[in-house]
Amino acid sequence: MSTGKHKLAQPDPGDVPKAVINRLSLYLRELQHLLRSGKTTISSSQLGRMLGFTDAQVRKDLTCFGHFGHPGIGYRCEELVAAIRRILGTDRVWTVALFGVGNLGRALLGYKGFSAKGFQIVAAFDEDPRKAGATIDGIRVHPMDRLDEVIANQRIQLAMITVPAAAAQHVADTAIKAGVVGVVNFAPVTLTVPQEISLVGVDLATELEQISFSVANREKS
Amino acid sequence: MSTGKHKLAQPDPGDVPKAVINRLSLYLRELQHLLRSGKTTISSSQLGRMLGFTDAQVRKDLTCFGHFGHPGIGYRCEELVAAIRRILGTDRVWTVALFGVGNLGRALLGYKGFSAKGFQIVAAFDEDPRKAGATIDGIRVHPMDRLDEVIANQRIQLAMITVPAAAAQHVADTAIKAGVVGVVNFAPVTLTVPQEISLVGVDLATELEQISFSVANREKS
DNA sequence: CCGTGTGAAATCGTTCACAGCC
DNA sequence: GGCTGTGAACGATTTCACACGG
């Protein structure tokens, strides 16, 4: 058996709420900060307070996947980081291709946070032939028609889409046909993908609308 | 009277689920596409299908805020767009300041999607004195120490934070002290703000972790 | 004691199903 | 016939409260 000493339950992922996975990411981020500042253990209530959750919530979330805590002690940070990374699948390295080398695309190519978390952008694509051939932040920009070849050769698993809205669906279809199994879409459109493909959409304007609503309506208690 | 003919209910925003607001943004985005393609009315089931929701969900979400539908007809796109914009507060223009003119910051300064939705970035700030003084995409970059003055003079309401994680809390505190009432945080840290301030966090690595989890666990059903 | 893990209770959000209207 | 608005049923998630372990 390859992985560590603590039992990792494997519940049907279908019955783990999506919100739990989101919080797991936040726990992980917080734990990594804690580790850097030298803390070795933490209780569910401390961790919860840092993020605005209750202690029970933290424990429930974690026990979806196994028994990581130590009664009377709390959670050992290092242990829990390892466990969450295994749960999220970020204990391995993922290969990512970026589609659309515009402003946002370039910014993402240079973003250090991805490789730190195990996501390696290994190729970029752009329709504009003047961009293809360039190397940005060490990443080669290919023309779109090399897509199949590059995805296959470099065994690319995930796609980040930063092309204009009108092109996003076509790019997603093509990338998926070439073998990509997960997509992060930054274009402000709803994409349709086969159900075995994982998809998350990040719409920056939508995020601002959440703020706008809550500011416009902050005359509550 | 300035605003339209349809009743806009004003429920205590506290009892509208956050998820509803998120979906409202998606409805709006979809409706605007529909308008551009010439459609004038749509039913809850059509709109739902486009986004992967049920018809009942769409209707419930909308009736949180008033009666916008026409039995036998559906919703008139233009009318509904206006209503949702009023609900989200994007029928007015919001002034935004951007903090941290790095890769991501620059990309956001150039992003057209914001002004199209009523969010106008009117100033940027950076600690690096070499960046201050420049103008990027028509937006002036100020040194941090002009923060109070600029926020007040330009009546800036919202902040987008794209500084490094270690600086984010301080920047948020300062911006809030200067009068900002809503914050979108792109730095990978949990910010603490007074409860009357609206906050959303967007962590790009976290989004990828959602994909990683679901790809790693897609042997379900 | 402090702190986890966990059934049971409470809360919240979604879907159903149908009355009413065009 | 097609479609909205809505109470009631259902399902899911969060919180409570306590047994048990260091």
Side-chain angles (χ1 to χ4, degrees), chain A residues 10-14 16 18 21-23 25-26 28-30 33 50-51 65 87-90 92 94 96 103-104 106-108 110-111 113-114 117 119 137 158 160 165 181-192 195-221, chain B residues 10-14 16 18 21-23 25-26 28-30 33 50-51 65 87-90 92 94 96 103-104 106-108 110-111 113-114 117 119 137 158 160 165 181-192 195-221:
Chain A
Q10 290 190 247
D12 176 349
V16 176
K18 208 175 144 284
I21 306 306
N22 237 298
R23 286 191 297 265
S25 286
L26 298 177
L28 178 58
R29 200 176 71 181
E30 213 62 45
H33 285 168
M50 300 172 85
L51 290 158
F65 298 96
I87 295 164
L88 292 177
T90 53
R92 46 194 124 162
W94 294 86
V96 183
N103 283 328
L104 182 58
R106 256 190 299 268
L108 298 181
Y111 186 56
F114 293 137
K117 292 272 192 162
F119 299 101
D137 279 292
L158 309 179
M160 298 184 63
V181 293
V183 174
V184 183
N185 174 36
F186 288 88
V189 274
T190 305
L191 296 187
T192 306
Q195 65 133 127
E196 71 274 16
I197 300 295
S198 308
L199 173 68
V200 321
V202 181
D203 183 333
L204 302 174
T206 287
E207 307 292 344
L208 275 172
E209 286 169 341
Q210 309 302 302
I211 290 287
S212 151
F213 173 81
S214 88
V215 170
N217 294 57
R218 85 191 131 99
E219 52 270 2
K220 55 188 170 192
S221 81
Chain B
Q10 289 190 248
D12 177 349
V16 175
K18 208 174 143 285
I21 306 305
N22 237 298
R23 286 192 297 265
S25 286
L26 298 178
L28 177 58
R29 200 176 70 180
E30 214 61 45
H33 286 168
M50 301 171 86
L51 290 158
F65 297 96
I87 295 164
L88 292 177
T90 52
R92 46 194 123 160
W94 294 85
V96 183
N103 283 329
L104 182 57
R106 257 190 299 269
L108 297 181
Y111 187 55
F114 293 137
K117 294 271 192 161
F119 298 100
D137 278 293
L158 309 178
M160 297 185 64
V181 292
V183 174
V184 183
N185 174 37
F186 288 88
V189 273
T190 305
L191 296 187
T192 306
Q195 65 133 127
E196 72 273 17
I197 301 295
S198 308
L199 172 69
V200 321
V202 181
D203 183 333
L204 302 173
T206 287
E207 307 292 344
L208 274 172
E209 285 169 343
Q210 308 304 299
I211 290 288
S212 152
F213 173 81
S214 89
V215 170
N217 294 56
R218 86 191 130 97
E219 53 270 2
K220 58 187 168 195
S221 92

Side-chain angles (χ1 to χ4, degrees), chain A residues 157-169:
Chain A
Q157 302 165 298
L158 309 179
M160 298 184 63
I161 298 187
T162 52
V163 300
Q169 181 68 59

Side-chain angles (χ1 to χ4, degrees), chain A residues 1-219:
Chain A
M1 195 208 272
S2 60
T3 47
K5 58 196 166 188
H6 285 272
K7 191 173 60 184
L8 237 203
Q10 290 190 247
D12 176 349
D15 57 13
V16 176
K18 208 175 144 284
V20 172
I21 306 306
N22 237 298
R23 286 191 297 265
L24 246 36
S25 286
L26 298 177
Y27 300 153
L28 178 58
R29 200 176 71 181
E30 213 62 45
L31 287 162
Q32 285 171 331
H33 285 168
L34 287 168
L35 267 184
R36 255 175 263 125
S37 63
K39 218 161 174 352
T40 61
T41 69
I42 190 165
S43 69
S44 55
S45 56
Q46 289 175 293
L47 184 53
R49 192 143 7 86
M50 300 172 85
L51 290 158
F53 306 133
T54 66
D55 55 337
Q57 175 103 82
V58 173
R59 292 197 301 274
K60 261 274 154 69
D61 285 349
L62 292 174
T63 52
C64 285
F65 298 96
H67 295 217
F68 307 115
H70 303 274
I73 305 291
Y75 298 86
R76 292 202 230 287
C77 296
E78 215 170 323
E79 226 171 75
L80 191 51
V81 163
I84 296 180
R85 300 209 331 150
R86 209 152 69 246
I87 295 164
L88 292 177
T90 53
D91 54 343
R92 46 194 124 162
V93 171
W94 294 86
T95 50
V96 183
L98 183 136
F99 295 85
V101 185
N103 283 328
L104 182 58
R106 256 190 299 268
L108 298 181
L109 287 178
Y111 186 56
K112 296 294 182 286
F114 293 137
S115 50
K117 292 272 192 162
F119 299 101
Q120 231 178 303
I121 304 182
V122 298
F125 295 90
D126 201 288
E127 207 167 40
D128 183 341
R130 284 167 304 181
K131 287 176 183 162
T135 296
I136 300 180
D137 279 292
I139 297 152
R140 186 64 178 281
V141 181
H142 302 277
M144 283 293 185
D145 54 22
R146 300 271 299 284
L147 194 151
D148 282 285
E149 176 197 335
V150 175
I151 299 270
N153 285 348
Q154 310 216 38
R155 308 229 147 54
I156 290 172
Q157 302 165 298
L158 309 179
M160 298 184 63
I161 298 187
T162 52
V163 300
Q169 181 68 59
H170 176 68
V171 167
D173 293 345
T174 314
I176 290 165
K177 209 170 298 164
V180 152
V181 293
V183 174
V184 183
N185 174 36
F186 288 88
V189 274
T190 305
L191 296 187
T192 306
V193 301
Q195 65 133 127
E196 71 274 16
I197 300 295
S198 308
L199 173 68
V200 321
V202 181
D203 183 333
L204 302 174
T206 287
E207 307 292 344
L208 275 172
E209 286 169 341
Q210 309 302 302
I211 290 287
S212 151
F213 173 81
S214 88
V215 170
N217 294 57
R218 85 191 131 99
E219 52 270 2

Side-chain angles (χ1 to χ4, degrees), chain B residues 8-143:
Chain B
L8 237 204
Q10 289 190 248
D12 177 349
D15 58 14
V16 175
K18 208 174 143 285
V20 171
I21 306 305
N22 237 298
R23 286 192 297 265
L24 246 35
S25 286
L26 298 178
Y27 300 153
L28 177 58
R29 200 176 70 180
E30 214 61 45
L31 287 162
Q32 285 171 330
H33 286 168
L34 287 169
L35 268 184
R36 255 176 262 125
S37 64
K39 217 159 174 354
T40 61
T41 69
I42 190 164
S43 68
S44 56
S45 56
Q46 289 175 292
L47 184 53
R49 193 145 3 90
M50 301 171 86
L51 290 158
F53 307 133
T54 66
D55 55 337
Q57 175 102 81
V58 173
R59 293 197 299 276
K60 260 276 154 69
D61 285 349
L62 293 173
T63 52
C64 284
F65 297 96
H67 294 216
F68 308 115
H70 303 273
I73 305 291
Y75 299 86
R76 291 203 231 288
C77 295
E78 215 170 324
E79 226 171 74
L80 191 51
V81 163
I84 296 179
R85 300 208 333 148
R86 210 153 69 248
I87 295 164
L88 292 177
T90 52
D91 54 341
R92 46 194 123 160
V93 171
W94 294 85
T95 50
V96 183
L98 182 135
F99 295 85
V101 184
N103 283 329
L104 182 57
R106 257 190 299 269
L108 297 181
L109 287 178
Y111 187 55
K112 296 295 182 288
F114 293 137
S115 50
K117 294 271 192 161
F119 298 100
Q120 230 178 305
I121 304 182
V122 298
F125 295 89
D126 201 287
E127 206 167 41
D128 184 340
R130 284 166 306 181
K131 287 176 183 163
T135 296
I136 299 179
D137 278 293
I139 297 152
R140 185 65 176 281
V141 181
H142 301 277

